Amino acid sequence: MRWEEKTANNVKEMKPSGIRKFFDIAAQVKGVLSLSIGEPDFAAPDKILHAMEQSLQRKETSYTENSGILELRQEVSRYVDKHYGLTYAPEDEILITVGVSEGLSMALLAYTEPGDEVIIPDPAYVAYPAAVELAGGKPVFVPTYPEDDFKPTVAALEKVVTPKTKILVIGYPNNPTGTVMTREELLPIAAFAKKYNLIVMTDEIYCELMYGDTVFTSFAALPDMRERTVVFNGFSKAWAMTGMRLGYICAPKEGLAPILKLHQYAIMCANTQAQVGGITALRECDEEVETMRQEYDRRRKVIYQGLREMGLPVFEPKGAFYIFPDIRVTGMTSAVFCEKLVQEEKVAVVPGSAFGENGEGFVRISYAASMETIEEALRRMARFVKKYKTT
Ligand code: PLP
């Protein structure tokens, strides 16, 4: 059988993930210090693991409700109200998903028809354009620039919007840049969404990981935005639960219903033990989340300082666990920079070009790694940059 002939065209045409490609190169080099991975180097808090163990002891091995255990949805409802000022009914406005990944894919499938355009800031998390394409839509990139700390402007959005535009996908704090948008900066984007009657899909998975005095604003909390916004959030980052695959969507009842319909057929429900762990995460782990956040903050300061000292222009990231320095002073493309860095100094970071055209000239460094790893990686990078710096 020639499987390739039978493979769906939109899958065949998908570009392989630039991150994956680079991981494969890095995997061939022994003893690499990795600052390339977008997941916590912590394990999930013990309280969560204990709750999951107890659930197994009770032999809770059945499916849950399609939209997730009601107690977890109630806990999500309480949590988003208390922490982000959002009001969603646990009964029909919250859906528990297999991570933000599932949530995004289902939501895009539910709302995208062939020819629909979906605006995505460039650079962006690699899954956004792929999920849009799989849903049959057309990703339309709005360029963002280092001069604006990679924040999209309404002027740039106005240039790419068309009568076919249906959805705007955003995600702050941002992967790969670490950019955060304040309430004041989001307000014009909200006005733009209203003007063109767009659905806004906002990936807020890093919202617990904010630094300095910038306050997190959920897009759905802006005036008039709740009715047109789908909020994605999850447990992977702040609670260090990546492998448990747990997330949630908050949206108005009519907005959530078509997504739930798809989720019922494709997924049935998120993993039962993960959901039980999620209840404990939201109910009892504020302190553990804060301890991890403080540790990321400590590392963020060290890495920001280190990059500046080696002469790489970089803006201070205010959220997530990424920093996005400008490597153009070396005269290399971001892919060449990363390949050479891994070969010559055994340090793995990700080419900015993996996140879109406007990521070219930058690299994504993750500080979800131990301080020891970060300090040694910085020493090696400094040597490398000194060797190749052209200006
Ligand atoms: N959204 C962003 C911006 C991410 O960086 C990631 C993971 O790296 C995800 C979503 C995936 O989240 P989840 O583990 O909840 O599927």
Side-chain angles (χ1 to χ4, degrees), residues 77-327:
S77 174
R78 182 196 65 80
Y79 194 90
V80 298
D81 182 7
K82 181 172 167 207
H83 292 254
Y84 319 137
L86 301 175
T87 316
Y88 289 99
E91 295 74 22
D92 47 20
E93 296 190 316
I94 295 171
L95 170 64
I96 306 299
T97 57
V98 182
V100 168
S101 306
E102 188 237 326
L104 265 166
S105 300
M106 294 297 141
L108 284 163
L109 277 170
Y111 286 102
T112 315
E113 287 189 285
D116 284 347
E117 295 181 0
V118 179
I119 299 181
I120 305 172
D122 173 2
Y125 175 51
V126 291
Y128 302 157
V132 170
E133 278 167 6
L134 275 184
K138 181 177 167 207
V140 172
F141 296 101
V142 58
T144 63
Y145 300 99
E147 300 80 71
D148 310 316
D149 293 357
F150 293 99
K151 291 171 189 172
T153 62
V154 169
L157 286 164
E158 288 280 0
K159 279 197 192 138
V160 297
V161 70
T162 77
K164 290 182 183 162
T165 310
K166 194 191 257 182
I167 302 169
L168 169 65
V169 177
I170 53 171
Y172 301 97
N174 188 262
N175 176 8
T177 59
T179 299
V180 164
M181 289 191 67
T182 62
R183 183 185 156 84
E184 284 62 40
E185 289 165 340
L186 286 171
L187 282 170
I189 311 270
F192 168 84
K194 193 169 171 183
K195 178 176 169 191
Y196 292 99
N197 194 25
L198 305 180
I199 297 173
V200 179
M201 298 197 177
T202 175
D203 176 356
E204 301 184 352
I205 192 165
Y206 291 102
C207 73
E208 297 289 333
L209 303 177
M210 298 270 300
Y211 315 106
D213 25 322
T214 323
V215 186
F216 169 70
T217 302
S218 173
F219 197 83
L222 298 173
D224 300 335
M225 286 302 107
R226 185 188 186 280
E227 60 161 335
R228 61 177 66 253
T229 302
V230 183
V231 181
F232 303 89
N233 215 323
F235 298 77
S236 286
K237 312 292 174 172
W239 287 268
M241 289 170 68
T242 45
M244 293 168 197
R245 314 303 308 121
L246 192 68
Y248 58 86
I249 298 178
C250 297
K253 181 178 168 183
E254 321 79 69
L256 193 63
I259 307 174
L260 172 61
K261 204 162 151 189
L262 281 177
H263 169 88
Q264 282 169 337
Y265 285 118
I267 307 289
M268 302 278 274
C269 65
N271 173 280
T272 304
Q273 274 66 51
Q275 292 192 55
V276 171
I279 296 170
T280 303
L282 296 181
R283 205 177 268 166
E284 296 178 33
C285 294
D286 287 4
E287 236 173 71
E288 286 83 345
V289 169
E290 176 56 14
T291 305
M292 289 188 268
R293 191 197 66 81
Q294 284 179 12
E295 180 56 25
Y296 291 132
D297 193 18
R298 234 163 53 84
R299 299 167 180 179
R300 178 186 71 106
K301 288 176 182 147
V302 168
I303 205 157
Y304 174 59
Q305 175 84 5
L307 291 169
R308 289 180 68 105
E309 278 170 11
M310 69 181 81
L312 293 182
V314 64
F315 70 92
E316 185 186 343
K318 297 282 172 58
F321 38 53
Y322 307 106
I323 188 161
F324 205 58
D326 183 341
I327 52 92

Side-chain angles (χ1 to χ4, degrees), residues 334-350:
S334 59
V336 170
F337 180 97
C338 293
E339 278 181 47
K340 270 184 177 298
L341 183 65
V342 88
Q343 276 152 6
E344 295 181 22
E345 294 288 355
K346 299 195 176 187
V347 173
V349 299
V350 182

